[in-house]
Each structure stands twice: as C-alpha cells, then as structure tokens.
Amino acid sequence: MAAPAVEGAAVMALRAVLHRVRLAAERSGRRADDVRVVAVSKTKPVSLIDQVYDAGHRCFGENYVQEIIDKAPQLPEDIEWHFIGHLQSNKVKPLLTAVPNLAMVEGVDNEKVANNLDRVVSNIGRQPLKVLVQVNTSGEVSKSGINPSQCVDLVKHVKLGCPNLEFAGLMTIGMPDYTSTPENFKTLLNCRAELCKALGMAESQCELSMGMSGDFEQAIEMGSTNVRIGSTIFGPRDYSKKK
C-alpha cells in the first residue's frame, strides 16, 4: 500500500517546488512563467512520471540515454523531454531516433557532438533541435563542459556551422556542496554577457540553465531561466539498477 502514498508525495512536492519557483522569480522581478522547471526523473519508474504528468507537468529530463529511450515511448507524446549532461557521440542517433519529442539537449560541450547532432537531425528530418552549451564553471575535472574561455567559439560553431541546431543558451552544473554556487552562477552570467556581446545577441535570447534541488531558488534570483529538479520532486534516487 506504500506506492500510492509515494506517488502522491511527488505531486505534492512538485506543487511545493512550483510555489518556491514563483516566489524566487518574483524576488528577481520576473514571473514564474519566465522559469522552466525540468522534472528530472532519473532512476524513477514510468508510473511515478505519469503521476506528475497527470498533475499537469509536461517538462521532464533524463541523464542517461538508455533511460530516456526506455521511458519516452511509454509516456504521452506531448511531454517535452530534455537530455541533461554529457552526450557521447555514439549515443546521438539512438537518442534522436527513439525520442521524437526530445525538446532540448542540455549539454553540448564540444564540436564533435554538435556536428553529430546536426547531422542526425538532418538525416531523420525532424525540426531543428534546441541545444544548450554546457560550461564547466567550477573547474572540476570530473565535470563535463567547456572551459569558460572556449564558450564563445563553441557557440559560434553551433550557430554558424550547425543549421539543424538552434542555440538556446548556456547550462552549468554547480559544485556538489554548493559552497561556491554563487561563483559558478556568476561565471555563467559572465559567459552569457561575453558571448552576447561577441555575437550581437540580446541576453534575453540566451537562456541560463542553472540550479538544481539544492540551490534552484538562488539560481533563479541570479537569473536562471531553467532549473533541473530531481530528488526534491521524486525523492532520493535509486542507483541499485545502475550497477
């Protein structure tokens, strides 16, 4: 009898998160509609995603290609899926083929994967794919993402050399203990300012995906337009099946 209670908890948690997002947006002089909430469902069953979907949420994210390939066909087609994190080039075709409703890839961190995405999007004839360029703002070797100094060059490559991709903005994953989170976020803000100046773009044309369960309110207050919330909505992750 425990399962329905857990599922009900996810819906209640989603509503609490959306409330906190609204308040944080208002503190930064924006509306809640200005901030997209990606419900990150990694390691969680389709049944739980269904519950959050039935509560009205439509934007979900996954970190593992195999998980999104398995789950997406079992769920409604109007879900906007985000793939989050480093994407290996050999996984590009399986991902795009299996998930026609993939709305965005949050994690283009080199020209090779950008080129592969561009080619596969063209070959399968889907509409242009939105992508975020992932920036390593913490300098941690374990983190994916380009060095901030390379940000402008990679964005130029995506915008000018990948006609089947739509550059949508920048994303980062902060440090796990959140002690330097403001610095991570400031670095991403600086990257946006630099690239918008270099490419003659308005900053409003460049999304910022920053902020997760532990720091999304601070991220929104600093200008995030896209937050990725996993465990706060769905509960602790179960990695036992990942071994």
Side-chain angles (χ1 to χ4, degrees):
M1 295 295 290
V6 171
E7 290 166 348
V11 173
M12 287 169 60
L14 171 71
R15 295 205 172 105
V17 164
L18 295 176
H19 179 68
R20 291 166 65 188
V21 166
R22 189 176 82 246
L23 295 179
E26 288 170 358
R27 286 195 294 273
S28 66
R30 293 182 294 155
R31 297 172 304 126
D33 291 350
D34 297 332
V35 183
R36 182 191 302 109
V37 175
V38 185
V40 183
S41 47
K42 72 176 179 182
T43 80
K44 297 300 176 180
V46 166
S47 59
L48 202 53
I49 301 170
D50 255 330
Q51 293 284 324
V52 175
Y53 175 92
D54 288 343
H57 201 68
R58 292 294 177 269
C59 188
F60 293 86
E62 288 287 344
N63 298 82
Y64 300 110
V65 170
Q66 194 56 51
E67 271 203 79
I68 195 171
I69 285 175
D70 291 343
K71 291 175 182 177
Q74 302 179 59
L75 289 156
E77 293 178 2
D78 64 336
I79 284 179
E80 294 181 16
W81 284 105
H82 285 219
F83 180 80
I84 300 165
H86 178 69
L87 179 60
Q88 294 170 289
S89 289
N90 64 339
K91 299 284 181 69
V92 167
K93 187 175 181 182
L95 173 65
L96 292 181
T97 305
V99 190
N101 50 334
L102 185 70
M104 187 179 283
V105 170
E106 298 197 35
V108 170
D109 56 6
N110 60 69
E111 289 188 5
K112 182 181 177 185
V113 75
N115 293 341
N116 278 355
L117 282 166
D118 182 65
R119 186 175 67 250
V120 173
V121 169
S122 175
N123 289 345
I124 66 177
R126 61 156 281 164
Q127 74 270 29
L129 176 67
K130 288 185 177 182
V131 298
L132 301 181
V133 165
Q134 183 171 354
V135 183
N136 185 337
T137 56
S138 64
E140 294 169 278
V141 179
S142 61
K143 291 263 168 66
S144 299
I146 53 159
N147 185 289
S149 65
Q150 301 169 301
C151 183
V152 172
D153 287 342
L154 183 54
V155 172
K156 274 185 183 174
H157 178 79
V158 171
K159 284 180 72 71
L160 304 177
C162 301
N164 300 289
L165 302 183
E166 181 185 334
F167 170 72
L170 304 175
M171 71 88 75
T172 192
I173 298 171
M175 291 181 78
D177 63 357
Y178 305 115
T179 52
S180 69
T181 289
E183 292 310 313
N184 296 155
F185 296 164
K186 283 175 192 165
T187 298
L188 202 67
L189 287 162
N190 291 342
C191 283
R192 179 173 69 174
E194 183 185 351
L195 81 86
C196 287
K197 185 178 178 184
L199 299 178
M201 291 170 60
E203 291 196 0
S204 60
Q205 292 178 289
C206 181
E207 288 204 41
L208 293 179
S209 174
M210 56 189 198
M212 298 189 288
S213 285
D215 58 2
F216 68 90
E217 287 154 305
Q218 186 178 31
I220 292 167
E221 289 174 30
M222 293 182 70
S224 178
T225 60
N226 187 88
V227 291
R228 311 175 303 267
I229 315 293
S231 56
T232 298
I233 294 172
F234 290 107
R237 284 167 182 144
D238 176 11
Y239 290 105
S240 61
K241 298 185 183 75
K242 291 283 159 214
K243 290 174 184 174

